[in-house]
Amino acid sequence: MGELLSVREVGKTYTGAKGQQVTALADVDLDVAEGEVVALIGPSGCGKSTLLRMIAGLDGAFDGELTWTKPPRPGKDIGFVFQEPALLPWRSVERNVSLGLEALRDNSSEARQRVRDLLELVGLADFAQCFPKELSGGMRQRAAIARALAYDPRILLMDEPFGALDAITRDRLHDDLLRIWEATRKTIILVTHSVEEATYLADRVAVMSARPGRIKAVHHVPLDRDRDPSTRRLPQFAEFAGMLRQELE
Amino acid sequence: MSRLLRTLGYVAVIVGGWSLYVRVADVPAYLLPAPEEVLGALATLVGEGELRPHLSYTARNIVLGFAGGSLIGIALGWGLWSSRLLRELLNPYLVLLQAAPKIAVAPLLVLWFGLSLTSQYVLILLLVFFPMMAATMMGLRDVPADVATLGRLLNLSRPRYLFTIQIPAATPALLAGAKIAVIDAMTGAFLAEYLSAQRGLGYLMILGNTSNDTPLLIAAVLVTVLVGLTGFGLVSLVEKLRRI
Ligand SMILES: Nc1ncnc2c1ncn2[C@@H]1O[C@H](COP(=O)(O)OP(=O)(O)OP(=O)(O)O)[C@@H](O)[C@H]1O
Ligand SMILES: [Mg+2]
């Protein structure tokens, strides 16, 4: 696995509305290898979203360095999933998913096939012509994930993508994401509040500390890459999740 | 069907009340003629083929004024929304325009542009563009933050962002604005004709007024109300069709 991205001594200071300075991030170092799943976990307000937005290229005003082995091409290499699905209500699921391809003016038959395959992969093949309001919350979030993957980005950034879902739906989407990773081997950076989610999905977990946000530690998850619901019952799973929880306190 | 009956019921109540009032209170005909007299005047207008040119003249002015004013309003709204500088620069004028009764400038327009079609269009455009501009700005604000971020991530060009995201997101607000604007367009058209034209429904009203032909005056008012309802109904219809 080659290196994809390295974050070096990155810091970010916001100037609030009243002119006060808020240091959101300080001295953040993080390496991300191609094809790995890195979870970012930390207390609310520690700068996880800020870091993710920087990596996505949405915020260029920061200190330090962000180095890519191959710089991401605008509109092509970053897939982003928000906490809310953020689908366009006036477009069918299929047309929502193909939005990025439209922007690239790619209406080749491969592109269309890719959209169909992705809808199949996230279990929405029968709902391609439905509108977002006809879907459940979990289905909408699946559509949002398919949209982020449609143009085959090099990296998938997810900002608490399952945070707004109920526990049962969330577990199901975890398994979907594992399946998607299995099929695409995408590099994924996943922001989460849940130690179980981080443990279940990630290869490595970066634990952040509260303001100013720093990376406290990076842990390898001591589990096989092949995971399924029975993995959650393994003693190593509970042990690692417990260790993360302790570190967050 | 039941809606049609209900509408007819409402009309019957008005006409019945009107008829009764005229008879019981013995109102002189030059103040308020009986319904059948007005209907007679209307029939004459239609029968002699006089209504059609006036009606189509006014309708054309309304349609063109509404379309032109909407385009100007949407473009201005988009420009103001996109550029903070423009917004801050033009804000005082906009507040002024919003507060001022725009109808008050009508005599000035007649003075500047004469009794011409130009002054009529200027008045209509002036009335129409404002609600459309306000609606556009409100509609563009309705684009959720995540969707705006998505637009940046997908590197959408400005025009593509406008057409695939901003306009569809703003459509409900635009239609709400259009409902106001279409009424304003009609107000502008009638007022302009009232002041200056030799044709149109507004002119018919003047004719009725100056020739003491009250049935003609009321008939013209009725047609005007019908035109107003039609315009409003058309916009509402578009709104309803969208929701299906
Ligand atoms: N646009 C902004 N202007 C000023 N301060 C900001 C802005 N965005 C974020 N902040 C501040 O930066 C800090 C980090 O915010 P960020 O959203 O990255 O946290 P987070 O870790 O994603 O939190 P959460 O888990 O609640 O989503 C917070 O203290 C927040 O107040
Ligand atoms: Mg966040």
Side-chain angles (χ1 to χ4, degrees), chain A:
Chain A
M1 281 202 290
E3 190 74 13
L4 178 66
L5 166 69
S6 85
V7 179
R8 286 286 169 274
E9 290 177 33
V10 159
K12 170 83 192 180
T13 304
Y14 285 109
T15 307
K18 294 185 203 83
Q20 81 281 27
Q21 305 273 309
V22 180
T23 307
L25 290 173
D27 295 326
V28 170
D29 289 313
L30 184 68
D31 290 304
V32 180
E34 212 150 332
E36 79 170 332
V37 182
V38 177
L40 274 181
I41 193 165
S44 182
C46 72
K48 304 180 293 293
S49 299
T50 303
L51 184 57
L52 211 62
R53 290 175 64 85
M54 280 176 191
I55 295 172
L58 291 165
D59 182 356
F62 57 86
D63 308 320
E65 261 182 275
L66 241 168
T67 321
W68 298 81
T69 45
K70 278 177 262 165
R73 297 156 295 174
K76 275 189 173 170
D77 284 334
I78 307 276
F80 205 103
V81 181
F82 306 92
Q83 182 165 3
E84 304 289 331
L87 299 173
L88 305 178
W90 56 86
R91 282 183 166 230
S92 66
V93 169
E94 185 176 28
R95 302 233 309 132
N96 262 293
V97 170
S98 55
L99 189 67
L101 292 165
E102 245 174 71
L104 294 169
R105 293 166 208 280
D106 181 356
N107 50 12
S108 60
S109 57
E110 297 91 75
R112 266 171 287 147
Q113 187 56 46
R114 197 180 156 71
V115 169
R116 272 196 296 276
D117 291 345
L118 275 170
L119 286 173
E120 188 79 48
L121 186 63
V122 298
L124 289 177
D126 295 338
F127 298 89
Q129 302 313 320
C130 290
F131 286 87
K133 63 167 184 249
E134 302 170 82
L135 305 183
S136 70
M139 289 158 94
R140 282 181 212 165
Q141 200 58 346
R142 286 196 196 120
I145 294 172
R147 174 181 63 193
L149 291 170
Y151 42 96
D152 203 11
R154 206 175 287 151
I155 188 169
L156 185 60
L157 305 175
M158 308 178 95
D159 195 351
E160 299 183 42
F162 312 119
L165 303 173
D166 64 89
I168 296 169
T169 311
R170 196 181 310 148
D171 282 355
R172 196 166 305 151
L173 261 79
H174 287 164
D175 290 321
D176 286 341
L177 191 65
L178 287 179
R179 221 156 26 78
I180 289 168
W181 184 83
E182 203 58 54
T184 61
R185 302 279 162 152
K186 287 279 170 235
T187 311
I188 298 175
I189 302 181
L190 170 81
V191 168
T192 175
H193 272 142
S194 149
V195 292
E196 281 81 16
E197 186 168 293
T199 309
Y200 192 49
L201 297 174
D203 296 307
R204 288 192 299 143
V205 180
V207 182
M208 295 182 69
S209 61
R211 242 173 297 163
R214 296 172 195 277
I215 296 203
K216 216 189 213 176
V218 181
H219 301 283
H220 275 275
V221 181
L223 295 168
D224 261 0
R225 190 61 253 185
D226 263 337
R227 297 173 197 178
D228 59 44
S230 69
T231 308
R232 295 178 201 274
R233 292 191 294 272
L234 293 175
Q236 300 99 294
F237 186 97
E239 200 182 317
F240 185 78
M243 186 272 291
L244 287 180
R245 181 165 285 119
Q246 208 161 34
E247 204 158 60
L248 282 172
E249 272 160 11

